[in-house]
């Protein structure tokens, strides 16, 4: 994981504290967004988020909406890094072996993943960003819509997922689905 040291006092008193606060809250979210929403490798996402935060630090005081600026710069940097690197398959396991011990959790995760993938594009985008702990206002900034639209899409996505997962849990197989006969 990339490490960024922040210690220099800059410009007007208090700006450094504001930057540290923004860094602590937005660095992990930016990394998560790049991985979950855009599909970048964790190494690229961490490097891109660190670079975006470094650039923000250098331009602190000039940037009007730092959280949106960081997301935009991080995405641009990640795309550039993605072009430059061909990472292939990761060297580490893709599945946490501890989670595999509990088959019920694994099955639920697979059902949820399949259900999310089956959602309409905008609902899938909103749900994915929600799962990386973004608020509807932050999601609206990323997707270029209003917070109300983000909330509405999230409500529809949750309803669809709830129905899909409840249907799968009650499903005894292809021949015993509700309303289906062998």
């Amino acid at each position: 994981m990339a490490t960024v040291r922040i210690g220099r006092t800059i410009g007007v008193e208090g700006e450094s504290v504001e930057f540290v606060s923004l860094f602590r809250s937005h660095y992990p979210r930016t990394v998560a967004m790049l991985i979950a929403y855009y599909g970048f490798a964790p190494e690229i996402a961490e490097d891109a988020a660190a670079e975006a935060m470094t650039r923000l630090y250098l331009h602190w005081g000039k940037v009007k909406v730092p959280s949106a600026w960081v997301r935009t710069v991080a995405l641009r940097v990640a795309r550039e890094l993605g072009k430059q690197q061909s990472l292939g398959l990761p060297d580490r396991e893709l599945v946490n072996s501890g989670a595999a011990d509990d088959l019920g959790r694994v099955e639920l995760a697979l059902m949820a993943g399949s259900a999310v993938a089956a959602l309409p594009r905008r609902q899938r985008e909103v749900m994915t960003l929600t799962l990386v702990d973004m608020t509807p206002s932050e999601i609206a900034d990323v997707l270029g819509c209003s917070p109300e639209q983000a909330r509405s899409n999230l409500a529809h996505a949750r309803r669809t997922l709830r129905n899909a997962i409840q249907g799968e849990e009650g499903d005894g197989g292809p021949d015993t689905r509700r309303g289906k006969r062998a």
Side-chain angles (χ1 to χ4, degrees), residues 4-130:
V4 177
R5 293 197 179 268
I6 305 165
R8 163 179 104 162
T9 303
I10 53 176
V12 179
E13 187 175 328
E15 285 183 338
S16 177
V17 173
E18 290 175 11
F19 179 81
V20 170
S21 175
L22 182 120
F23 179 89
R24 286 186 178 145
S25 68
H26 283 78
Y27 176 81
R29 287 180 175 191
T30 303
V31 171
M33 177 194 71
L34 292 171
I35 294 169
Y37 183 67
Y38 292 103
F40 287 104
E43 297 83 5
I44 290 176
E46 290 170 359
D47 288 349
E51 178 64 23
M53 288 293 182
T54 301
R55 291 180 187 180
L56 175 63
Y57 186 67
L58 295 172
H59 294 92
W60 191 252
K62 299 175 189 172
V63 176
K64 293 185 184 204
V65 185
S67 57
W69 190 91
V70 163
R71 286 191 300 265
T72 302
V73 171
L75 178 58
R76 289 178 184 158
V77 170
R79 286 181 176 155
E80 188 59 36
L81 290 173
K83 289 177 189 174
Q84 294 172 3
Q85 296 180 4
S86 175
L87 294 177
L89 292 175
D91 293 334
R92 57 187 160 77
E93 289 183 54
L94 295 176
V95 177
N96 179 345
S97 59
D101 293 337
D102 184 356
L103 185 58
R105 284 190 308 190
V106 172
E107 288 177 330
L108 183 58
L110 289 172
M111 286 189 313
S114 297
V116 169
L119 289 171
R121 182 184 58 82
R122 185 59 89 173
Q123 290 178 21
R124 185 175 59 248
E125 292 169 346
V126 170
M127 181 55 68
T128 301
L129 293 174
T130 299

